[in-house]
Amino acid sequence: MARFVTTDVHGCLRTLRRALEEIVLFSPRDELYVLGDYVNKGPDSKGVLDYLMQLQARGLAVHCLRGNHDQELLDAAHGHIGKTWASPADRELTLSSFGAATAADIPPVYLHWLNALPYEFDLTDFVLVHAGFDFRQPPDLMRQDHQTMMNIKQFTFDASRLQGKRLVHGHVPTPVAEVRRRIAVKAGALNLDTGCVYRHNPELAHLSVLNLDTLTLHTVPNSEEPYTIAKRPS
């Protein structure tokens, strides 16, 4: 059995399928942890949700966390459309994948699935979360601060607040080379978001899948048909 973790799929269904079916050969004996941000920015948000839901329905061990973009879509569907719910172009891609005119028109099955997602997974040797924690807070409080867990971009890692466990997260697109470097030096906190959706950024544009047992990193280049997205500033 292998334990795999990936994150920040952002509607890149073809890349996700290639990663699982052709690269890591995900099987019923394995476990997969996905750390959020299934929707927005990329071409097929609905397809990513369908695929993950289908894997779960087949009885595969697929465990999914909530990311900030998933929460923003939920908020929008319930009428709380803030400045943070994607750009107009991103919204159009997301809504068109569902065949919906507004977020409120997204079929309830997807909203219910997203709304049931937890904010972290606590394994025997790793803690998995979408963005990270505010390690300045007491341990019990920092793990209840869901907004921070989905949105924080900078923090000082403190293993003592996670019972000595290592942290794996996503949220901030990071060059593939830097992710590999941090794995090589056995960093306590590993960010696996290699900006798969940013197809114009060569240092990004990969979906990373980490084997938690061997710390082998698989990086799969963006395999989507062309779609509109700006190049992310360095």
Side-chain angles (χ1 to χ4, degrees), residues 4 6 13 32 34 45 50 55 62 64 81 102 114 126 129 177 183 189 200 216-217:
F4 297 108
T6 189
L13 173 62
L32 173 67
V34 193
S45 294
D50 282 334
L55 291 177
V62 176
C64 297
I81 301 178
T102 70
L114 290 171
F126 291 93
V129 70
I183 292 172
H200 299 304
T216 301
L217 183 70

Side-chain angles (χ1 to χ4, degrees), residues 41-164:
K41 298 186 180 182
D44 198 356
S45 294
K46 176 181 179 293
V48 168
L49 297 185
D50 282 334
Y51 182 57
L52 293 171
M53 292 164 70
Q54 288 163 9
L55 291 177
Q56 291 177 335
R58 286 167 46 196
L60 278 74
V62 176
H63 313 287
C64 297
L65 284 180
R66 185 185 310 226
N68 61 301
H69 280 269
D70 314 311
Q71 184 63 54
E72 288 162 12
L73 186 62
L74 281 170
D75 291 343
H78 291 98
H80 308 299
I81 301 178
K83 294 183 293 184
T84 58
W85 186 51
S87 68
D90 290 347
R91 294 184 191 191
E92 177 59 31
L93 272 179
T94 299
L95 292 175
S96 64
S97 77
F98 289 99
T102 70
D105 298 320
I106 293 173
V109 63
Y110 299 105
L111 301 178
H112 291 160
W113 188 85
L114 290 171
N115 197 48
L117 296 176
Y119 296 93
E120 67 169 329
F121 291 124
D122 196 349
L123 309 184
T124 57
D125 46 356
F126 291 93
V127 173
L128 313 180
V129 70
H130 178 64
F133 297 99
D134 179 355
F135 286 95
R136 298 169 299 179
Q137 299 184 38
D140 56 338
L141 294 181
M142 77 178 195
R143 299 178 79 162
Q144 297 175 34
D145 184 354
H146 296 154
Q147 286 300 315
T148 295
M149 292 161 68
M150 291 188 293
N151 290 282
I152 194 168
K153 292 188 175 181
Q154 293 183 324
F155 56 83
T156 300
F157 177 67
D158 183 349
S160 69
R161 293 176 183 262
L162 296 177
Q163 297 79 50

